[in-house]
Amino acid sequence: MTADLGSAGSLPEMLTWEEFLALPDAIAQCVEGLDHGRVIRARTGPRRNQRAAVRLRNALESAWSAVCSEHDECFEADVEQPIFFTAKNDFLNPDFILYRCLPDQDQDVPASAVVIAGEVLSPSNSVQDMTRKTTRYAEAGIPWYWEVDAGEKAVTIRINALLPAPEHRPAGVTPLRAFHYEPVAQWVGDGDLTYHLPFPFTIPSKSLAY
């Protein structure tokens, strides 16, 4: 690497995994992911976005703890945990995730283990940015995508399920993507957030309140 990486503005377009690991922490935080080595720059959102992500992570962990004795599966929740797709230089950092427990606590989280990928929207997020991310999640088979809007006074959560492209389409029309997300539930701060998948859960509204 020949670039002087003393600032976020000096990030090159491409990085290897080893080069990414060598970045100073302050600069590495400006990288949201690598798309086969191509740098995906992080978008900076208001502080309430970070609070919302942490509260969602804590709420999912608590919700799972409340019902885990009734299930044979095991789940963990994290914030800013990279999801690895095909290689070390192919990952994204969702704002929060729920994933199946891994045998090694130091093991990287593969996309195949992820159950929920969650993003807290920022004003700087473009439609192109979010489409690129959700397309990667869908292509990797992640069954649930949660989209969170952390407003100044309230949080809105949209739960999206991974579904195959509609079978009933005009003749000769082929979808660009074999799978896509469709909204199946929405919470706007009224009452507790309750849903039955990926496990039956109830998240008290007070746990998400500002």
Side-chain angles (χ1 to χ4, degrees):
M1 181 187 303
T2 59
D4 178 13
L5 297 179
S7 67
S10 62
L11 276 169
E13 291 187 5
M14 302 291 294
L15 285 173
T16 66
W17 173 249
E18 291 73 20
E19 289 170 338
F20 170 72
L21 290 180
L23 292 175
D25 289 343
I27 307 303
Q29 292 175 1
C30 299
V31 178
E32 190 171 50
L34 297 178
D35 182 0
H36 299 283
R38 186 172 299 279
V39 173
I40 302 172
R41 294 174 181 267
R43 302 285 185 172
T44 302
R47 288 192 299 274
R48 63 177 179 270
N49 282 27
Q50 283 73 41
R51 290 197 299 269
V54 170
R55 289 177 186 181
L56 259 300
R57 178 265 176 203
N58 293 344
L60 283 170
E61 185 177 68
S62 296
W64 171 243
S65 296
V67 301
C68 65
S69 61
E70 305 168 14
H71 298 267
D72 295 331
E73 294 182 283
C74 174
F75 294 112
E76 294 184 89
D78 270 317
V79 292
E80 297 294 338
Q81 173 64 55
I83 295 175
F84 289 89
F85 297 102
T86 61
K88 283 284 194 177
N89 68 342
D90 188 19
F91 72 89
L92 281 173
N93 267 325
D95 292 316
F96 61 93
I97 62 172
L98 182 80
Y99 57 98
R100 296 181 183 86
C101 297
L102 300 171
D104 185 350
Q105 286 294 321
D106 295 327
Q107 181 180 348
D108 294 330
V109 178
S112 59
V114 179
V115 179
I116 298 173
E119 297 286 354
V120 183
L121 301 181
S122 297
S124 58
N125 289 135
S126 68
V127 173
Q128 183 179 8
D129 289 337
M130 298 313 300
T131 299
R132 177 174 56 187
K133 295 185 77 170
T134 56
T135 296
R136 293 307 308 275
Y137 298 153
E139 289 175 344
I142 296 173
W144 299 95
Y145 164 62
W146 286 24
E147 189 173 76
V148 181
D149 185 2
E152 293 184 4
K153 296 182 179 180
V155 173
T156 298
I157 300 171
R158 183 178 295 107
I159 297 176
N160 300 275
L162 182 65
L163 301 174
E167 293 300 324
H168 302 290
R169 62 177 68 95
V173 174
T174 302
L176 293 176
R177 295 184 292 273
F179 294 89
H180 68 292
Y181 290 107
E182 287 284 350
V184 295
Q186 182 165 289
W187 182 79
V188 294
D190 296 328
D192 298 338
L193 171 58
T194 300
Y195 200 66
H196 59 287
L197 292 170
F199 54 85
F201 66 84
T202 296
I203 295 177
S205 59
K206 63 181 181 182
S207 68
L208 302 177
Y210 286 4

